[in-house]
Structure formats: structure tokens, C-alpha cells
Amino acid sequence: MARFRLSDLNDAQRIAATTTDGPLLILAGAGTGKTRVITMRVAYLIAQGVDPAHILAVTFTNKAAAEMRERLGKMIDAADAKKVTMSTFHALCLRILRAGIDRLGYKNNFSIYDEGDQLGLIKKIITRTAARDEKLDPNIAKASISKAKNNGWSPPHDGETLAGAVFRRYRDELKTANAVDFDDLLLLTVQLLNEHPDVRQRWRERFRYLMVDEFQDTNRLQLELVRLLADERQNIAVVGDDDQSIYGWRGAEVSNILEFEHHFPNPTVVKLEENYRSTNAILGTANSLIKHNPRRRPKRLWSSRGDGEKVRLIESPNDREEGQFVAEEIHRRHMDTEEPWEGFAVLFRMNAQSRILEENLRRLQIPYRIVGGKSFFDRREVKDLIAYMSVLVNPEADANLLRIINTPARGISAATVETALQWSVRQKCSLWEALRSAQFVASVSARTGASINAFVELIDSYQIKIAEPLTEPSAIVTKLIAEIEYATELRRSCKTAEEASAREGNIGDMLRDLAAFAQRSTKGLPGFLDEILLDQEREEEKQEDIEKKKAVTLITMHAAKGLEFRHVYLIGLEEGLLPHERSKSEGTIDEERRLLYVGITRARRTLTLSYCRDRLKFGSVSPCHPSSFIKELAPEFLERVDLKKLLATPVTEVTGKSRFAQMRAAIGG
């Protein structure tokens, strides 16, 4: 029995849900209830007598498919809901290939290679194919092969380049092994349906009503798959928003939604513009920005929820002040209004921007979670540096010693370390004691023994230096890092100069943090490590389901798509960051504008945008310029705040106890 009411939908949603025949393009702006419309449309089709087994709904993630399936189960009979096919593109392709891949010369029991399998095979092929003076990074080769497959390109026949030869051998060896990778799932399905009309017809008869979610994220192959599955009735409904197309860098074609009429003539086009998420101040800001994109389908988001607070645009002297302000205001709002931590999110363009925020959130003991990037303290070079500092304080802890004993390489092999560990277990002592033991050193080769003694002497000498009175810990650690030539090792392991600079910058940031700690505390290096390592909130984060974490969210704008938060801080609105420097040379400014639009439309109640006059980049202070996008924001929705002036605002002696009070008085909070 149906348990849904079309009267629950607004006029545009109702038209989208009840238009059942022919091509349908649903332009669903941010927060306009598209998931509800999709599931309601499926329920309506079944209520109109369509066999649920003839309905296919395709999306990009298992999570989205599961959410649709759960909602549908509450609207219609459970048995009918189960008959509807709701799946990801890859799951659909796997199903089609399991039934018909033998037509392409494979066995139906083919295996699927994951990323590890792919890399392993590519490494073997490079080793066997490359000449002595030729080099090819396996990760770069894998990315190139993936891009080629998603564009439908075949490997070159001549094999003149190493990359081309590796691509061809990779394809051939996969087939010999009766295996496919994830890109092949799409590529081979399109090939199968293209080359075998009877197979194509069988699937067209099975799926007579097609729905595709997030259509703006489809690539060339996915569009071709949808075209092949749609029969002469063209009952194909797609839902998407060209203004939220932000995945061009991984193959998404915004033209698929912009040129929908070219692929599926004479469609019904429905715009969903009533937003159920944000205030009109936030939506007005978003509208004023995105209208500057020349190639888009015009739409204007609005809400019946009222104007709400103006969007604040904060100018900060530098990124340290920016991070401190954001963390302290989140803390104040939480304390004053009991707003839960999970109501706050900080959005940024680059993962590296999270470092100063993390530092300030930790200082204020605010729980947080990182989404869409590694925590600063989980990055390899940061963990290496923390391990070195920890060994200087306490070499008896085996875990830290194991991390740095051969980093950078110093002639102490993994086999030697394993022997030392076994020796320490037998002697009931630490690994450090084993390395210092003349008895153990005598049991290994002379060369290995010399390497062990040199390492022990290195640590001993710096332990003495760090323990001297009035010493400057950051200067000692800096000297140690230079002596072991850690930066050289780091650069050698990076794929690009940009990555190397970023990682070296992270080391510089840590050393500056250590220097700053020494100025405000007398606890030295042990105290600094305690502040970093004895953070129970972060230990709990590793054990908890991240979705259930009651914490402030730190998230990249790409990862924030599809999410929403009551209070959003969007930081780093600077030229070169957003829009990113590369976008000018690559001609992708429009996509950067869409990315900012996505960030703005994540906010439900309040939105704070911020930019800095100076920012620490790759270890040195660089001047910043406000993003060119700021000029495009409608001034009537903005409240401009100069943080330097704000913090200099005089307050009464009674309320002037803290920086929180200053901000409360200056902002009027």
C-alpha cells in the first residue's frame, strides 16, 4: 500500500515526480530536496502500474543508493521496493558483465583488480619493458591508463613511448589473467552493449525507466552507457545541477547536463529552486557569485525561511590570526548557546590549511574530525619528526625508535631490526638497550655494527644537547634534521616539486610551533610532545565511526558536497588558493567558482568567509590578495569585518576579561 503524498511536494517537485514519459531533466539546485523527488517519482511510477523490476536508478555512491532504497521502503510495499534496481554505475556494470562478458573473450568468472593489484602489475610491466635509462612512475602510469580508459582511448599500436607500451601490455595481461579493473567495468560494458545488439535489447527490455542522480558528475563513458540503455521510448530522467559540477579534474563532463537536449531531444525541463536548507542571505550570496559563470542553466535559489544573518566577510592580518579567531569563536558560540560541536564546520580549498586550525582546536580542547584529507599530525613527515623528538626524550619506547631507525636510510636493514627485536625479547630489555649492547653489535656484520654505533652516537649526542640548561629545543631539533639530511630524503620520495615543498613546509611549521611553545612554557621538549600526543579526543576519533563523531568538522570543499552544517566558516578566500593558481593556466576558473558556490551552499544558518593579508606558504610568509570572487558577491548580503580593528575595539573593564568577550562586544554577539 502506498504511503506517500504528492501534496507534500512543492509545485516544481510535483511536476518532476509525476512526469513519467520521455526524457526529463530535473535541475535540482543545492538543498532543494532532490533525493525526496527521486524516491517519490519511483513510488509514483509503481503506483501508476509500472513493474518495479523495470525501474533502474543509478547514482555514484553506495551510500546514496542505500539512502534512496531506505526512503522508498517507507513509501511503498517492501516487496515492491526490493524489486527496484538502485545501484552505483560500477555495480550495474558488474551485473551486466557477469551475464555477458564472454562475448568479449573473457570468462564470466572474471576477477576484479583493486588498486594494489593494479600497481603491482604495472610495476612488473615497467620493470620488464623499460630500457636501462628509462623511468616511469607506476602511480603516474596508473593514473594515465585510467584517464585513457575513461576517455575511451585504446593503447597505441606502435609502442614508441614507454607509457604507451606499458598501457598495451597492462591491458593484454589483464585479459590473459581473466581480470578487469574498475575502469574496465564501464569501458567493457559500453563495448558489450555497442557491439552486441541482442545483449543491448535484453537490458533495454529489463530497464524501461531510467533515472540518473548527480548527472553533472557523469563522464563520457557513463553518458554513453545511459544512451545505450535508453530504448526508443527514451524514458530517461536525470537529476543534477551544473552549478555543482566540481569534478572536472577526474573526468566529469559538465557538458553532459548543459547539452542534455542534444543527447535526448525534446525533454521536459524542471527547475527546483526552493531551498529548504539555507537563509536568503546565504542563497543571495551564492546566486550573485554563480551568475558570473558564462556556461550554465539559469536558476535562482530562494527560501521561505527569511533573510537570516548577513554573511560575514572577515579580513585577517595572517593565517595564525584567522585560525585563532575561528577556533575561539566556535568555542564561544558553543559555550554561550550550547550549540553542539557537530553544528560547526570549517571548509578550505587545500588540506594544508587545516594545520593552524587543528593547533587552535587542540589548544582549546575542542573535538574535531578531518574529512577529505589527512590530519596534519597524521602526515608522514610530521610523524617522523615527532618520532625523532620522542626518541630524544625517551629512547626506550620501541615504537618511535622503529619509525626512525632507518629513516633516512643509514644501513640498518629491516632484517637487522628484526634480529635486534628478537634479541631484546630474549634479554627482556628495550630495543634501544639492544642497539647499545656490545654483545648484540658483535653478533652482526662489521658494516651493520658500524651503522648501529653511528646511530646510537647520533641520538646520544643530541640527548645531551637537548638536556643542557637554557637550551633552545627548536634550534637543536633543526640541527638534527639538517645533520641527517632528512629534507633530501623527503624530496627524493616525492612525486612533484610542489609536494616536496609542501612537506618541507610542514616540517618548518612544526619547528616554529616548538619555538613558540618554548616561549610560553618552561616544560621544554617533553611538554611540547605531551601537548601533541596526550590528546584523548584524537585517540577516540580513530576508534569512533566518523559519521557519529560529536565534533567540529574540518573538510575540503570537494568533500563537503552533499553535506550541510548550521554554522560554516569558509577560510582562505585568496587569489591563488581560491581560485587555485593552476585554474588560470588550465582554463578552469568556472569550476573554481562552482567549488566556492558549493562551499557557500553548505551553510544552513550562518556563514563566515575569511581571507588573510599574509599566509605561511611552504615555510615562509607570503603576502596575499583577496580572491577575485569576492568582488562578485552581492554587497547587500555581506557584513565586512576587519579582524585587526575588531580585536582592537575597546570594551568595558567588566567584560574585557578575555578575547572571547572582545569578539562578543565587537560583533554584537
Side-chain angles (χ1 to χ4, degrees):
M1 180 179 171
R3 296 182 295 278
F4 69 94
R5 296 178 305 182
L6 291 173
S7 58
D8 290 341
L9 303 179
N10 64 39
D11 290 345
Q13 289 176 329
R14 197 176 307 115
I15 293 169
T18 57
T19 300
T20 58
D21 297 324
L24 170 65
L25 170 59
I26 304 170
L27 293 168
T32 56
K34 73 178 177 67
T35 305
R36 173 193 252 192
V37 171
I38 295 171
T39 47
M40 195 77 88
R41 187 173 185 274
V42 173
Y44 181 77
L45 281 167
I46 294 168
Q48 295 301 108
V50 173
D51 184 342
H54 287 160
I55 300 173
L56 167 66
V58 188
T59 188
F60 276 82
T61 65
N62 288 313
K63 184 179 177 183
E67 184 184 349
M68 280 196 282
R69 195 176 291 112
E70 184 183 344
R71 287 199 189 193
L72 185 64
K74 294 174 182 176
M75 292 182 182
I76 63 172
D77 182 75
D80 283 342
K82 284 181 181 177
K83 293 177 186 174
V84 177
T85 300
M86 289 182 163
S87 77
T88 63
F89 273 102
H90 286 108
L92 172 65
C93 291
L94 179 58
R95 183 174 176 180
I96 293 171
L97 289 176
R98 284 287 183 214
I101 200 172
D102 55 302
R103 300 288 195 93
L104 301 177
Y106 292 78
K107 297 175 188 172
N108 288 58
N109 65 342
F110 62 88
S111 57
I112 302 172
Y113 273 29
D114 63 18
E115 289 202 3
D117 298 327
Q118 288 177 263
L119 269 178
L121 177 56
I122 289 170
K123 283 176 184 175
K124 287 178 187 173
I125 292 170
I126 291 173
T127 302
R128 294 199 302 261
T129 309
R132 186 172 295 177
D133 59 342
E134 284 186 305
K135 286 187 178 179
L136 178 62
D137 184 302
N139 287 290
I140 293 174
K142 178 176 162 293
S144 299
I145 291 169
S146 177
K147 183 178 180 180
K149 286 185 175 185
N150 278 292
N151 280 306
W153 302 335
S154 296
H157 295 294
D158 52 32
E160 283 184 7
T161 66
L162 176 58
V166 169
F167 182 9
R168 191 175 68 255
R169 288 191 66 168
Y170 172 75
R171 183 198 61 181
D172 294 345
E173 292 199 24
L174 267 185
K175 190 167 186 179
T176 300
N178 195 40
V180 301
D181 59 27
F182 276 94
D183 297 316
D184 286 328
L185 292 176
L186 267 170
L187 185 68
L188 295 176
T189 301
V190 167
Q191 183 185 343
L192 177 65
L193 297 178
N194 250 325
E195 295 177 359
H196 299 277
D198 59 320
V199 176
R200 182 169 69 243
Q201 189 57 33
R202 188 161 70 245
W203 287 103
R204 282 180 170 182
E205 287 173 7
R206 172 64 196 274
F207 299 129
R208 298 181 185 178
Y209 290 85
L210 277 65
M211 299 183 69
V212 183
D213 190 19
E214 304 285 10
F215 194 67
Q216 77 280 347
D217 294 337
T218 53
N219 62 23
R220 197 191 70 76
L221 275 178
Q222 286 158 337
L223 172 64
E224 185 63 18
L225 174 64
V226 172
R227 288 177 62 187
L228 287 165
L229 287 173
D231 62 16
E232 63 281 352
R233 290 184 293 270
Q234 297 278 286
N235 289 331
I236 167 73
V238 305
V239 188
D241 181 8
D242 51 299
D243 290 336
Q244 295 186 73
S245 180
I246 58 173
Y247 296 118
W249 49 277
R250 69 181 189 198
E253 300 265 7
V254 69
S255 60
N256 289 354
I257 195 167
L258 292 176
E259 299 166 10
F260 183 75
E261 292 88 341
H262 173 73
H263 305 295
F264 303 97
N266 304 313
T268 301
V269 179
V270 181
K271 293 182 186 179
L272 305 184
E273 297 174 296
E274 183 176 358
N275 178 283
Y276 294 93
R277 175 187 299 159
S278 309
T279 65
N280 280 312
I282 293 166
L283 298 176
T285 302
N287 289 332
S288 66
L289 170 76
I290 202 63
K291 72 179 183 183
H292 288 86
N293 266 5
R295 287 190 74 221
R296 65 181 290 262
R297 290 180 179 268
K299 64 190 84 68
R300 189 169 185 82
L301 297 179
W302 62 277
S303 172
S304 60
R305 296 189 172 194
D307 291 341
E309 293 181 27
K310 283 193 172 187
V311 173
R312 283 185 307 165
L313 179 61
I314 308 277
E315 180 184 290
S316 302
N318 53 58
D319 50 351
R320 288 198 164 274
E321 291 281 358
E322 178 186 61
Q324 194 171 345
F325 165 74
V326 170
E328 290 181 352
E329 187 176 270
I330 288 173
H331 188 272
R332 174 181 64 79
R333 281 182 162 179
H334 172 75
M335 300 300 287
D336 286 357
T337 66
E338 297 186 353
E339 180 75 48
W341 295 122
E342 62 269 27
F344 299 94
V346 187
L347 276 59
F348 37 81
R349 177 68 175 83
M350 306 288 287
N351 288 324
Q353 291 171 257
S354 73
R355 188 192 70 82
I356 292 174
L357 282 164
E358 289 187 68
E359 185 184 306
N360 281 284
L361 293 170
R362 290 160 72 92
R363 176 174 57 83
L364 295 170
Q365 296 183 308
I366 297 173
Y368 66 91
R369 61 180 181 141
I370 296 277
V371 183
K374 276 187 178 179
S375 162
F376 176 78
F377 298 96
D378 286 337
R379 289 166 189 162
R380 185 188 78 211
E381 65 278 8
V382 173
K383 293 179 88 165
D384 285 348
L385 184 54
I386 289 172
Y388 265 106
M389 291 189 287
S390 300
V391 166
L392 294 185
V393 170
N394 175 24
E396 302 291 329
D398 286 0
N400 291 314
L401 196 59
L402 284 167
R403 184 172 187 93
I404 58 125
I405 191 168
N406 204 42
T407 305
R410 52 172 61 92
I412 305 174
S413 69
T416 300
V417 173
E418 182 60 35
T419 303
L421 278 169
Q422 290 171 0
W423 195 91
S424 69
V425 169
R426 287 196 301 272
Q427 299 298 319
K428 297 182 180 177
C429 66
S430 68
L431 176 61
W432 178 244
E433 287 178 87
L435 297 175
R436 292 176 65 93
S437 165
Q439 185 184 351
F440 170 71
V441 172
S443 71
V444 298
S445 71
R447 178 180 291 181
T448 300
S451 297
I452 291 172
N453 287 333
F455 174 66
V456 168
E457 287 170 16
L458 174 80
I459 299 301
D460 277 345
S461 67
Y462 278 91
Q463 276 189 293
I464 293 168
K465 290 172 184 173
I466 208 80
E468 288 173 356
L470 304 177
T471 190
E472 174 50 63
S474 62
I476 302 298
V477 177
T478 300
K479 190 175 179 182
L480 169 60
I481 293 300
E483 184 172 334
I484 64 175
E485 298 183 342
Y486 183 81
T488 304
E489 175 77 8
L490 198 61
R491 283 193 293 272
R492 193 179 294 126
S493 65
C494 292
K495 297 185 185 70
T496 64
E498 188 178 32
E499 181 192 355
S501 294
R503 289 188 179 277
E504 285 184 67
N506 291 338
I507 293 290
D509 289 343
M510 276 292 288
L511 294 171
R512 268 183 290 277
D513 289 347
L514 176 55
F517 177 84
Q519 288 182 338
R520 61 181 164 85
S521 172
T522 58
K523 293 180 180 178
L525 188 56
F528 178 68
L529 291 169
D530 284 348
E531 189 171 275
I532 291 174
L533 300 172
L534 301 181
D535 187 332
Q536 295 305 309
E537 292 289 355
R538 286 199 43 73
E539 287 307 309
E540 290 170 11
E541 177 182 325
K542 292 171 186 174
Q543 298 160 15
E544 272 190 34
D545 178 354
I546 201 161
E547 290 293 326
K548 297 174 184 173
K549 177 73 172 167
K550 304 298 184 186
V552 174
T553 299
L554 306 184
I555 188 167
T556 63
M557 276 178 265
H558 280 103
K561 185 169 171 289
L563 303 178
E564 58 182 66
F565 308 92
R566 284 178 66 85
H567 307 287
V568 168
Y569 294 82
L570 203 159
I571 66 170
L573 207 53
E574 295 139 29
E575 206 67 11
L577 257 183
L578 188 67
H580 195 276
E581 197 64 45
R582 284 196 308 268
S583 65
K584 296 171 187 175
S585 59
E586 294 173 355
T588 54
I589 291 283
D590 288 2
E591 182 153 320
E592 291 289 296
R593 189 179 283 109
R594 293 194 291 266
L595 187 59
L596 176 55
Y597 174 83
V598 166
I600 289 171
T601 53
R602 299 311 95 198
R604 290 166 56 197
R605 290 289 169 268
T606 70
L607 173 65
T608 300
L609 309 175
S610 89
Y611 64 93
C612 301
R613 288 196 287 269
D614 293 313
R615 184 173 294 278
L616 200 62
K617 294 178 183 174
F618 306 141
S620 60
V621 175
S622 302
C624 301
H625 301 285
S627 169
S628 52
F629 293 151
I630 291 175
K631 295 176 184 174
E632 300 173 0
L633 305 178
E636 63 266 29
F637 300 116
L638 295 180
E639 175 193 354
R640 291 177 177 266
V641 179
D642 185 322
L643 188 59
K644 191 174 182 180
K645 290 179 182 175
L646 185 154
L647 294 176
T649 303
V651 293
T652 64
E653 189 175 338
V654 176
T655 60
K657 301 286 185 185
S658 71
R659 184 165 167 153
F660 303 147
Q662 270 186 296
M663 288 191 291
R664 186 184 294 115
I667 297 173

